[in-house]
Amino acid sequence: MDYYSSQITKLIETLSSLPGIGNKSAQRLAFHIVNMPQEQVNTLVSAISEAKKNVQYCKKCFTLTDQELCPICSSTKRDEKTIMVVENPRDLAAYEKTGKYEGLYHVLHGAISPMLGIGPNDIKLKELMKRLSEETVEEVIIATNSSLEGETTAMYISKLVKPTGIKVTRIASGVPVGGDLEYIDEITLLRALDGRVEL
Ligand code: ZN
């Protein structure tokens, strides 16, 4: 039933299609938006639209950026011999926030999940192997989540990388099982990084 005018309903439906936004939150946001000053709404709309238009994958590490290379890959201060493999840009952000990791990253955009039909070709694995063949890398730190998918992905990567002679390590299991990296505090993240073990 259409309690509200159709435009409000459409706004609520559109908002509730976003991840983590249920119907209640969508209603709250929709009413908030229609009560916002027009100028603020324009800023919101153009921020979304500009980000969508300009944000792309970094050519090197595949994180999201509005440049050809992200600020991390284009920095001269990073240790290019170390690559940390993460599932998504949010995990990269979690490690960046600690301010203690100086290497580069590689963002897979997912994890291998036979149950969901996500195979090695559906994530940025070929791209990782290409990087390893072109760049001088001494260590690959696998920092996928400790979920079943994350562990499966870690084992798969380890099997691929080991024959190249590059050192492969896995972050320690200070990270709770099934825990998403982005929700874990910085101290736990650093402990997991410091305690990484060779695979
Ligand atoms: Zn990059």
Side-chain angles (χ1 to χ4, degrees):
M1 207 205 290
D2 199 359
Y3 306 105
Y4 313 119
S5 73
S6 62
Q7 288 194 348
I8 276 278
T9 305
K10 190 177 169 195
L11 181 57
I12 294 169
E13 280 173 5
T14 310
L15 289 168
S16 63
S17 70
L18 297 170
I21 309 279
N23 197 262
K24 264 190 187 165
S25 307
Q27 288 190 37
R28 202 158 39 82
L29 285 170
F31 292 135
H32 181 81
I33 290 168
V34 293
N35 284 316
M36 270 161 63
Q38 184 62 46
E39 199 185 319
Q40 221 177 319
V41 175
N42 294 348
T43 308
L44 175 65
V45 169
S46 81
I48 294 172
S49 160
E50 288 297 302
K52 177 63 196 161
K53 217 186 314 165
N54 298 319
V55 172
Q56 52 185 336
Y57 289 155
C58 167
K59 292 258 180 322
K60 200 164 167 179
C61 75
F62 294 89
T63 194
L64 298 171
T65 177
D66 53 12
Q67 306 289 321
E68 191 153 314
L69 283 180
C70 74
I72 299 167
C73 288
S74 49
S75 165
T76 52
K77 295 195 181 96
R78 308 293 296 219
D79 163 24
E80 298 186 341
K81 293 189 173 67
T82 309
I83 293 181
M84 183 191 287
V85 181
V86 293
E87 289 183 21
N88 56 57
R90 298 188 305 274
D91 294 341
L92 178 156
Y95 263 102
E96 271 311 278
K97 248 196 277 170
T98 69
K100 295 274 162 58
Y101 175 68
E102 287 170 349
L104 300 179
Y105 294 91
H106 187 86
V107 181
L108 294 171
H109 291 280
I112 297 171
S113 169
M115 259 173 51
L116 296 174
I118 302 169
N121 287 332
D122 300 314
I123 58 177
K124 303 284 179 203
L125 252 186
K126 276 195 301 284
E127 291 80 354
L128 173 66
M129 296 315 291
K130 187 162 176 276
R131 278 182 78 180
L132 296 182
S133 68
E134 289 168 354
E135 299 167 29
T136 316
V137 178
E138 287 175 0
E139 181 178 356
V140 172
I141 303 170
I142 305 176
T144 50
N145 293 335
S146 53
S147 59
L148 180 61
E149 291 79 16
E151 291 301 341
T152 307
T153 309
M155 290 323 292
Y156 194 91
I157 295 174
S158 150
K159 273 196 200 133
L160 276 184
V161 178
K162 265 191 177 168
T164 66
I166 298 168
K167 186 176 171 189
V168 187
T169 56
R170 175 89 173 105
I171 55 166
S173 52
V175 180
V177 171
D180 269 347
L181 284 188
E182 58 175 319
Y183 298 121
I184 294 159
D185 69 89
E186 292 174 22
I187 294 164
T188 311
L189 277 181
L190 287 176
R191 217 176 277 153
L193 179 59
D194 286 343
R196 65 188 185 271
V197 286
E198 193 162 349
L199 291 177

